[in-house]
Amino acid sequence: MDDTAEKGPALQMTSLLCTLHDHRDDVNWCAFSAKLLATCSGDKTLRIYNTSDFSELSFSPLSGHGYSVHCCCFSPCGQFLASCSTDATTVVWSMVTGEIEAVMEHPGRSPVRICALSPDSIHMVSGASDGTLALWDFPSKQLRRTGAVNDTTMVACSFSPCSQVFMSGSTYGDLRLWDLNMNQLHAEKNAHDLGVTCCTFAPSILSGGQVVQFRLASCGQDSLLKIWAINKFSSGAYKMQLLHTLTGQSAPVLSCAYSSDGQLLVSGSVDKTVAVYDAKNAVLLYTLKQHERYVTACSFSPTSPLIATGSMDKTVNIWRLEDGCSGHGESALTSGEGRNSAGRLKLLVTDWSEEDVSEWLVEEGLERLVDKFRANNIDGTELLSLTKETLASELLIESVGLRNKLLRKVEELKSESACSGIPDEFLCPITRELMKEPVIAADGYSYEREAIESWINTKNRSSPMTNLPLLTTLLTPNHTLKMAIGRWKTSH
């Protein structure tokens, strides 16, 4: 178990898989589709990753908003991504091309804080700082209806799994249930003292007799995570009932999300922790403590036992739930399919598959060992534990020179993978790996030469750090930085 996780009463385990360092400001939201992860930030961009290896897609980052991007959500099929911003728009992006499909301007031009898509892909709701809600027809991107709650800011919204009603939450502290005609079906005032921060429906529908029941989780500035039952009666009336109040975090809870089977519930807090609960029994399973600042976002993958958490420390952490405890079975990340070198090296070496190890051997000029390693099922964990004795007696590698070369490469790998101890200025902003040939670009930042050259060739000469055009593609070797990295490597 990762030493950043404190185990609760359950037997399941969780581990930190990788950390994404690409955003340049607070991470405000993260969302999974079946194959992608989207994150958005105060740096005005969204970033899109392939969940097979967490390599960034070629058209990422997405730059179309004029101000901070507060929320993003995928369409159920994963073909589209919606995002909303302080610039008073909700933008719909194609996940095939990265192009903008539509820009929807919020009525009243107030900053849009939240957006949500219905599970049937027919409707989208956006909520703004002036308390207004806009209901859009998603296929046509046309505004259908508006609603409002005075003297508050809309900060939370979620559709029920039947797509016929949705819940909104505001800084006033209330939760309100709406139908598709923007009629208020129920208002739960003072649901959270000092304000709601997030709400999310569980994916399942419970029915019995004359009652249909949904479950909803909400969190707020009162440092509480609450689980509600929302009952719909045959008469059409709705009633909300508080089932559980979870107190696993010591400061305002900013985000919450259900797993796709509804069995787990995750939340992120101002206390810098991520709490994972057994949703049915309302039991804290574990607390994750990797982030350095407020945890502002959390999301479960619908297809793999993965959690993404975003923070004001500008990072996104990817956590893996061991033993398929969310009911999803083996993580897709144990497969080598669709990986590339850059994506593989973003993972912890201990999480490399046998295929990853084989690819690494080829890259390091040790291809003659591939068949032997495959025959002995050497994965990342096994690779790091190799010794001269095991290479000679168990793997039967007779060449002393070959054994020594392999062990040197393994030691280099251990050094390079210990990124938590590397000064940030020694890491390339693009690859987040220790630089070997640092160069200074026209934006004044230093990058690994190969990475920035590739970036310039594919990103239309924009700066990876500022997104502004590079006035020149001239790259100047940063000898001072290279010497500093060399001294650091020698001392470590």
Side-chain angles (χ1 to χ4, degrees):
M1 183 173 178
D2 191 275
D3 59 8
T4 60
E6 293 181 357
K7 192 169 79 169
L11 297 176
Q12 297 97 335
M13 308 282 275
T14 186
S15 60
L16 180 63
L17 190 59
C18 63
T19 301
L20 307 175
H21 298 267
D22 301 303
H23 281 298
R24 299 301 156 197
D25 205 335
D26 300 353
V27 177
N28 294 326
W29 203 272
C30 49
F32 277 103
S33 70
K35 297 181 179 179
L36 301 175
L37 169 69
T39 62
C40 62
S41 167
D43 65 12
K44 309 177 188 178
T45 72
L46 297 102
R47 290 185 178 268
I48 315 299
Y49 302 89
N50 190 322
T51 54
S52 65
D53 59 6
F54 290 97
S55 59
E56 198 165 359
L57 269 58
S58 60
F59 55 68
S60 179
L62 303 178
S63 302
H65 285 292
Y67 295 97
S68 177
V69 188
H70 294 290
C71 176
C72 60
C73 55
F74 282 101
S75 61
C77 66
Q79 186 177 353
F80 301 103
L81 179 72
S83 61
C84 59
S85 166
T86 301
D87 64 14
T89 69
T90 302
V91 174
V92 179
W93 311 81
S94 166
M95 288 296 95
V96 177
T97 64
E99 298 294 323
I100 292 176
E101 295 281 325
V103 178
M104 293 116 97
E105 295 188 358
H106 197 83
R109 298 291 297 159
S110 183
V112 185
R113 296 293 305 277
I114 189 72
C115 59
L117 275 162
S118 62
D120 62 7
S121 297
I122 295 176
H123 295 98
M124 183 178 74
V125 167
S126 55
S129 295
D130 61 359
T132 59
L133 289 165
L135 181 70
W136 306 83
D137 179 86
F138 188 70
S140 68
K141 315 299 188 290
Q142 297 298 308
L143 179 64
R144 290 299 181 223
R145 292 177 179 83
T146 59
V149 179
N150 295 328
D151 302 320
T152 191
T153 295
M154 288 295 175
V155 291
C157 189
S158 179
F159 271 94
S160 67
C162 68
S163 298
Q164 299 305 302
V165 295
F166 63 91
M167 189 73 73
S168 68
S170 77
T171 53
Y172 185 76
D174 58 314
L175 290 167
R176 295 175 186 267
L177 188 67
W178 309 75
D179 66 16
L180 299 179
N181 292 314
M182 298 301 285
N183 298 312
Q184 284 193 40
L185 304 174
H186 181 83
E188 191 75 23
K189 297 183 178 180
N190 302 313
H192 287 275
D193 191 25
L194 305 177
V196 174
T197 52
C198 187
C199 67
T200 179
F201 273 96
S204 56
I205 301 173
L206 308 173
S207 61
Q210 302 298 308
V211 180
V212 174
Q213 186 180 98
F214 308 107
R215 294 289 171 90
L216 179 92
S218 67
C219 53
Q221 298 289 346
D222 54 7
S223 307
L224 301 176
L225 177 64
K226 295 183 177 182
I227 299 176
W228 308 81
I230 299 169
N231 296 308
K232 179 186 178 182
F233 298 93
S234 55
S235 63
Y238 284 83
K239 182 180 179 181
M240 259 180 97
Q241 176 187 359
L242 180 62
L243 297 179
H244 304 288
T245 298
L246 306 175
T247 59
Q249 290 166 309
S250 60
V253 184
L254 302 180
S255 57
C256 60
Y258 274 101
S259 61
S260 61
D261 58 11
Q263 297 299 306
L264 298 178
L265 184 61
V266 64
S267 61
S269 170
V270 168
D271 67 10
K272 309 176 188 177
T273 70
V274 176
V276 184
Y277 296 90
D278 174 337
K280 182 178 179 180
N281 299 307
V283 174
L284 179 65
L285 299 180
Y286 25 72
T287 301
L288 313 177
K289 296 186 175 182
Q290 186 71 13
H291 285 294
E292 296 177 359
R293 296 193 67 197
Y294 302 171
V295 182
T296 51
C298 55
S299 179
F300 277 95
S301 166
T303 55
S304 303
L306 301 172
I307 302 172
T309 57
S311 168
M312 289 177 67
D313 64 15
K314 308 177 187 178
T315 71
V316 177
N317 281 332
I318 309 299
W319 305 89
R320 182 164 63 192
L321 301 166
E322 306 294 349
D323 303 321
C325 64
S326 189
H328 300 302
E330 186 177 359
S331 167
L333 286 167
T334 59
S335 167
E337 295 178 5
R339 299 206 181 181
N340 57 35
S341 174
R344 184 187 72 248
L345 290 177
K346 282 190 177 183
L347 304 180
L348 299 176
V349 178
T350 51
D351 289 303
W352 283 11
S353 67
E354 294 171 27
E355 185 62 29
D356 289 330
V357 173
S358 296
E359 291 174 6
W360 175 79
L361 289 171
V362 173
E363 291 169 7
E364 297 296 340
L366 297 166
E367 55 272 358
R368 74 185 84 172
L369 296 177
V370 169
D371 290 342
K372 195 176 290 288
F373 272 50
R374 283 179 172 169
N376 286 274
N377 306 115
I378 304 296
D379 60 12
T381 301
E382 294 286 341
L383 178 68
L384 295 180
S385 64
L386 291 176
T387 64
K388 285 185 179 181
E389 290 71 28
T390 56
L391 291 176
S393 62
E394 298 180 23
L395 296 184
L396 304 178
I397 300 175
E398 297 178 358
S399 169
V400 176
L402 191 57
R403 292 201 300 265
N404 289 339
K405 181 179 180 181
L406 174 63
L407 290 174
R408 283 199 307 272
K409 293 296 184 182
V410 171
E411 286 304 313
E412 291 175 11
L413 191 61
K414 290 179 180 179
S415 174
E416 292 175 2
S417 65
C419 285
S420 60
I422 301 176
D424 195 64
E425 61 269 22
F426 293 175
L427 299 175
C428 173
I430 299 173
T431 66
R432 297 304 297 173
E433 295 168 18
L434 189 65
M435 286 185 277
K436 298 176 182 177
E437 292 294 332
V439 294
I440 304 171
D443 59 2
Y445 291 93
S446 292
Y447 305 91
E448 178 64 40
R449 178 182 288 278
E450 183 179 355
I452 188 62
E453 286 177 345
S454 175
W455 179 280
I456 290 171
N457 290 334
T458 59
K459 299 286 183 176
N460 199 24
R461 290 181 56 172
S462 64
S463 164
M465 299 294 283
T466 67
N467 289 320
L468 297 174
L470 293 172
L471 299 180
T472 175
T473 57
L474 181 67
L475 302 173
T476 305
N478 191 337
H479 297 298
T480 303
L481 180 57
K482 185 175 182 179
M483 291 171 60
I485 292 173
R487 288 194 296 270
W488 181 86
K489 290 179 69 175
T490 301
S491 62
H492 287 75

